[in-house]
Amino acid sequence: MNSDERLERMDAILLHKQPALKVMLDDVHSSQNLSAILRTCDGVGVQQLYYSAAEDHDLRIHKTITQGAHRWIERIRVGTEEKTEFLQEKQTQGYQIVVTRLEEHSISFREVDYTKPTIIVMGNEKEGVSSGIVDLADQVVIIPMQGMVQSLNVSVAAALILYEAQRQLEEAGRYAVPQLSEEQREKIKSDWLYRDNIARRSKGKIPLP
């Protein structure tokens, strides 16, 4: 793909980005799961992924899993002590917080209206979403299971929920009309080009100046 084709591809992708659909990972431990979720986020047009993790916990990216998707998603770390306050602030901005957790009042993930500004919170592989975040959630959802196991791998669960959101957004015509302003698109493209050039130089695809 030459430079002009790459720029055209970036422009086309930015026309379909869904800035009102975001994902937050609550202390997800596995870098493989993080990488798989990043790839799904890219597939449905998510622009921002938030994550909380202990300061000494390194969540590296597995490029063989992301297939480059990590370069097109903005990853924002939220301190473990600030994550509840962060989500509360997002609620004041009009976002609904959708949490995956098996509770008495949980509903199927398909019953949520994802055309509203939404942050989908996925919990870690052992303990799920922390209780403080569950308490403030606007919707607590489950993925119906018919077998002995009560839950799916977190990256698989994230994919199912995100593609349900994608289906609803597509039916609402959100992918047909740019959701980012031209100024926002140009800013993101500039950031992308910078990171893309660095990545391509590291592979020897662009000669050093």
Side-chain angles (χ1 to χ4, degrees):
M1 185 182 295
N2 63 40
S3 296
D4 289 341
E5 290 173 334
R6 205 163 183 82
L7 286 172
E8 288 177 5
R9 178 63 175 160
M10 289 181 184
D11 286 333
I13 290 170
L14 286 166
L15 290 175
H16 300 299
K17 282 289 186 180
Q18 302 297 310
L21 177 63
K22 304 178 188 297
V23 172
M24 180 170 178
L25 306 182
D26 182 16
D27 199 21
V28 167
H29 297 155
S30 167
S31 55
Q32 287 93 340
N33 283 332
L34 168 64
S35 299
I37 292 169
L38 279 168
R39 188 167 175 176
T40 302
C41 285
D42 179 63
V44 303
V46 170
Q47 178 58 27
Q48 293 177 317
L49 178 143
Y50 304 103
Y51 67 100
S52 65
E55 290 297 326
D56 60 348
H57 195 80
D58 180 28
L59 287 176
R60 65 190 180 92
I61 298 301
H62 293 266
K63 296 178 182 179
T64 55
I65 297 175
T66 67
Q67 291 294 297
H70 60 282
R71 299 210 301 271
W72 320 117
I73 306 294
E74 184 180 0
R75 301 190 304 279
I76 303 167
R77 191 166 192 152
V78 178
T80 54
E81 301 299 321
E82 294 84 35
K83 59 188 179 182
T84 302
E85 182 180 343
F86 167 79
L87 289 172
Q88 288 174 326
E89 175 62 24
K90 288 297 182 183
Q91 284 177 314
T92 67
Q93 296 172 11
Y95 282 86
Q96 65 174 343
I97 307 302
V98 177
V99 168
T100 57
R101 177 104 169 199
L102 181 59
E103 299 277 337
E104 279 189 24
H105 60 288
S106 297
I107 61 174
S108 169
F109 72 103
R110 298 187 183 93
E111 296 180 38
V112 174
D113 180 2
Y114 297 100
T115 64
K116 299 177 181 179
T118 301
I119 299 179
I120 299 168
V121 183
M122 308 298 300
N124 70 53
E125 297 82 354
K126 293 182 179 180
E127 300 169 352
V129 177
S130 57
S131 58
I133 292 179
V134 174
D135 290 342
L136 65 84
D138 298 289
Q139 303 282 0
V140 180
V141 301
I142 57 169
I143 296 172
M145 305 287 290
Q146 309 303 328
M148 294 291 287
V149 178
Q150 291 189 323
S151 65
L152 296 170
N153 170 276
V154 63
S155 66
V156 176
L160 285 174
I161 297 170
L162 282 168
Y163 270 93
E164 172 60 21
Q166 188 269 351
R167 182 190 68 80
Q168 293 185 20
L169 291 167
E170 188 168 38
E171 286 187 353
R174 299 286 179 82
Y175 290 93
V177 179
Q179 303 298 306
L180 292 166
S181 69
E182 183 176 355
E183 181 180 1
Q184 288 172 319
R185 297 198 303 273
E186 287 300 318
K187 170 63 170 63
I188 294 170
K189 185 168 71 171
S190 177
D191 293 340
W192 282 1
L193 284 169
Y194 176 75
R195 293 199 299 269
D196 193 43
N197 285 338
I198 291 175
R200 296 178 75 193
R201 280 199 181 99
S202 70
K203 295 179 180 179
K205 294 183 178 180
I206 298 178
L208 292 171

